[in-house]
Amino acid sequence: MTSKKEKEAFVWIWLPGETEPVVAGRLEADKGNILFNYGKSYLDRIDADKPAIAIYEPELPLQAGVLPLPEGLTMPGCIRDAAPDAWGRRVIINKTLGLKGQGTDTAELNELTYLLESGSDRIGALDFQRSPTEYVPRAAGNVSLEELIESAQRVEKGVPLTPELDQALFHASSIGGARPKALIQDQGKTYVAKFSSATDLYSVVKAEFVAMRLAESAGLNVAPVKLVKAANKDVLLIERFDRAPKDDGWARKAMVSPLTLLRLDEMMARYASYETLAEIIRHRFTDPRHTLKEMFSRLVFNILCGNTDDHARNHAAFWDGKTLTLTPAYDICPQGRTGNEASQAMLISGNNNLSRLTTCLETAHNFLLSGEEARAIFARLTDAIEQNWDAVCEEAELNEADKNFLWRRQFLNPYSIEQ
């Protein structure tokens, strides 16, 4: 690594349908902020055959000069969406600081460093380079799941990786989330691979598989998933929806999170609300009425399956330069629960975020749904869970202990389903 505190980075973007990136502009560290301005060559593409698109409008509109930050933000949200989160930062700290990385504050490295030191195959259509003229991807060869699992275990322990294992895990250092994961390709498809953690008290990997499959059976638009084994451990593979195969490579789909749509950062995430998100959907998304019903159904399903980690980076929208379209659902993972009472990560109705169907009923009108329509969604999703529970658990080879641990605690908890 050249520096712990990088001063600038150049943003490269895959335009819609393209398999090669072009440079879009420059990021600069300035008194604790990260500022962006588009390059002249990019702005000159507005009338080209493959015209420039705003990285995300209204946050970074296509105009010359340093663009102002939204109030309260220290860097553009659409850029932060492409940065690594907790797990990726641990990998980068392990890579750059070795043993000193164990317990190291992630603030030891600045945001530009995390952007430049993470793998290039990040979620969405952006990457970051030190050069404005030469694109050099930071990537590793496709390695075995066994190698990736060994790498993840060493990072969790704060043990430095060997060069081979370092490259195995580095590829996925750019993706979000707090749990061990990696990026792989298999038989012409791309996946996010999720591994168990040393701190797991139950089969979290299988629980997420069960939740995702039940969501699919309930008619929600979710990313396809499958369970595999490697090194005698379960691995969850989630098919990526931000990549599209082309004859000459992979096209990348631009994405933004609701945190960006709401103009919030991590420090303000507790103010993120489904009500405000519904308002944005009504005005800026394709097929808003259908999208509102889908978003409401995902909220309800999260409550029914005990996924309280529905924060504003665990939803996303595709961005094509003009409009927003809801992506398939992902990260539907039941969370550990000691008692009955629980709260969602995002506000549901006013300041109420209690994980209850009654709370959803209070906000149904914001999703252009009547009380009768909301209750019909409750019944449809509840029935799908009850009717498919045994079959999906059998598909996951979930043992009786984990099955009993999840049923009526995370899935269909009495506190949540009382109306």
Side-chain angles (χ1 to χ4, degrees):
M1 189 177 88
T2 59
S3 170
K4 291 182 182 179
K5 301 288 184 181
E6 298 282 354
K7 300 298 183 185
E8 70 173 7
F10 293 92
V11 181
W12 290 66
I13 186 171
W14 278 255
L15 294 171
E18 295 298 293
T19 58
E20 297 292 336
V22 297
V23 67
R26 177 176 178 265
L27 293 167
E28 179 184 10
D30 180 56
K31 299 177 183 177
N33 293 327
I34 305 293
L35 303 177
F36 175 80
N37 67 281
Y38 286 106
K40 183 178 183 302
S41 65
Y42 190 70
L43 292 175
D44 287 345
R45 297 180 65 95
I46 292 177
D47 297 321
D49 290 339
K50 299 293 182 181
I53 66 169
I55 293 175
Y56 172 62
E57 198 172 19
E59 188 177 47
L60 295 180
L62 282 173
Q63 60 189 50
V66 176
L67 298 175
L69 290 168
E71 184 178 356
L73 299 190
T74 58
M75 68 184 297
C78 58
I79 300 296
R80 177 61 182 84
D81 281 341
D85 279 341
W87 171 251
R89 291 175 189 236
R90 288 181 67 183
V91 174
I92 293 168
I93 285 174
N94 186 293
K95 175 182 173 67
T96 57
L97 301 178
L99 270 175
K100 292 184 294 182
Q102 188 172 17
T104 300
D105 187 345
T106 55
E108 178 77 13
L109 308 177
N110 70 358
E111 288 296 334
L112 289 181
T113 303
Y114 284 118
L115 293 175
L116 288 168
E117 290 294 329
S118 50
S120 291
D121 194 16
R122 65 190 73 244
I123 302 301
L126 300 180
D127 193 24
F128 307 91
Q129 299 278 309
R130 292 184 173 87
S131 170
T133 58
E134 183 182 14
Y135 179 76
V136 181
R138 300 176 300 280
N142 212 25
V143 298
S144 71
L145 285 172
E146 286 81 3
E147 290 174 295
L148 292 168
I149 289 171
E150 183 181 349
S151 300
Q153 290 171 338
R154 290 174 72 94
V155 167
E156 284 199 299
K157 295 174 183 176
V159 177
L161 298 173
T162 65
E164 294 77 18
L165 294 181
D166 181 12
Q167 285 303 306
L169 207 58
F170 170 71
H171 186 49
S173 59
S174 55
I175 57 179
R179 293 183 57 79
K181 58 179 65 68
L183 298 173
I184 66 169
Q185 288 190 33
D186 182 49
Q187 298 181 346
K189 294 184 178 181
T190 58
Y191 297 93
V192 175
K194 290 188 176 182
F195 312 120
S196 58
S197 170
T199 60
D200 289 345
L201 300 179
Y202 60 98
S203 183
V204 175
V205 166
K206 285 187 174 182
E208 182 170 350
F209 173 83
V210 169
M212 292 285 285
R213 291 285 288 112
L214 286 172
E216 181 184 23
S217 71
L220 299 185
N221 178 20
V222 302
V225 294
K226 62 181 181 179
L227 269 178
V228 298
K229 277 192 178 292
N232 204 32
K233 292 182 180 294
D234 295 306
V235 181
L236 176 66
L237 299 183
I238 305 103
E239 189 173 335
R240 293 181 66 173
F241 45 74
D242 63 333
R243 297 291 184 267
K246 297 277 191 174
D247 291 339
D248 57 343
W250 292 90
R252 303 190 180 193
K253 298 181 181 181
M255 288 168 45
V256 290
S257 73
L259 208 58
T260 294
L261 301 180
L262 298 169
R263 298 194 170 202
L264 300 173
D265 66 9
E266 278 74 13
M267 299 300 293
M268 299 183 285
R270 65 185 181 278
Y271 299 114
S273 81
Y274 281 102
E275 284 185 345
T276 309
L277 179 57
E279 182 179 356
I280 293 171
I281 290 173
R282 289 198 300 271
H283 292 98
R284 303 200 59 216
F285 274 63
T286 57
D287 198 358
R289 187 172 287 275
H290 172 79
T291 303
L292 287 166
K293 184 177 180 180
E294 173 74 15
M295 192 73 246
F296 183 81
S297 298
R298 293 183 189 185
L299 163 61
V300 171
F301 189 85
N302 280 332
I303 288 174
L304 293 176
C305 78
N307 176 31
T308 54
D309 192 34
D310 59 337
H311 59 77
R313 284 202 197 281
N314 275 349
H315 304 286
F318 295 123
W319 165 250
D320 65 3
K322 296 179 181 179
T323 56
L324 296 159
T325 303
L326 194 64
T327 71
Y330 58 96
D331 280 354
I332 305 177
C333 185
Q335 302 297 302
R337 194 166 182 159
T338 52
N340 283 329
E341 188 169 327
S343 300
Q344 298 304 117
M346 287 176 59
L347 299 172
I348 300 171
S349 176
N351 291 321
N352 184 355
N353 66 339
L354 292 179
S355 306
R356 311 193 74 174
L357 296 185
T358 53
T359 315
C360 297
L361 198 59
E362 292 174 8
T363 199
H365 66 280
N366 289 297
F367 293 82
L368 305 184
L369 296 168
S370 66
E372 183 178 355
E373 289 171 321
R375 288 188 176 89
I377 290 172
F378 299 167
R380 174 171 60 85
L381 298 183
T382 302
D383 288 347
I385 292 172
E386 290 178 334
Q387 292 170 12
N388 294 284
W389 172 254
D390 287 332
V392 172
C393 287
E394 183 176 348
E395 183 184 358
E397 297 181 354
L398 197 66
N399 64 45
E400 283 300 314
D402 280 347
K403 190 176 177 181
N404 292 333
F405 178 80
L406 293 170
W407 188 245
R408 301 294 181 185
R409 182 175 296 176
Q410 277 83 352
F411 289 87
L412 302 187
N413 186 287
Y415 170 84
S416 298
I417 62 178
E418 289 175 358
Q419 295 186 50

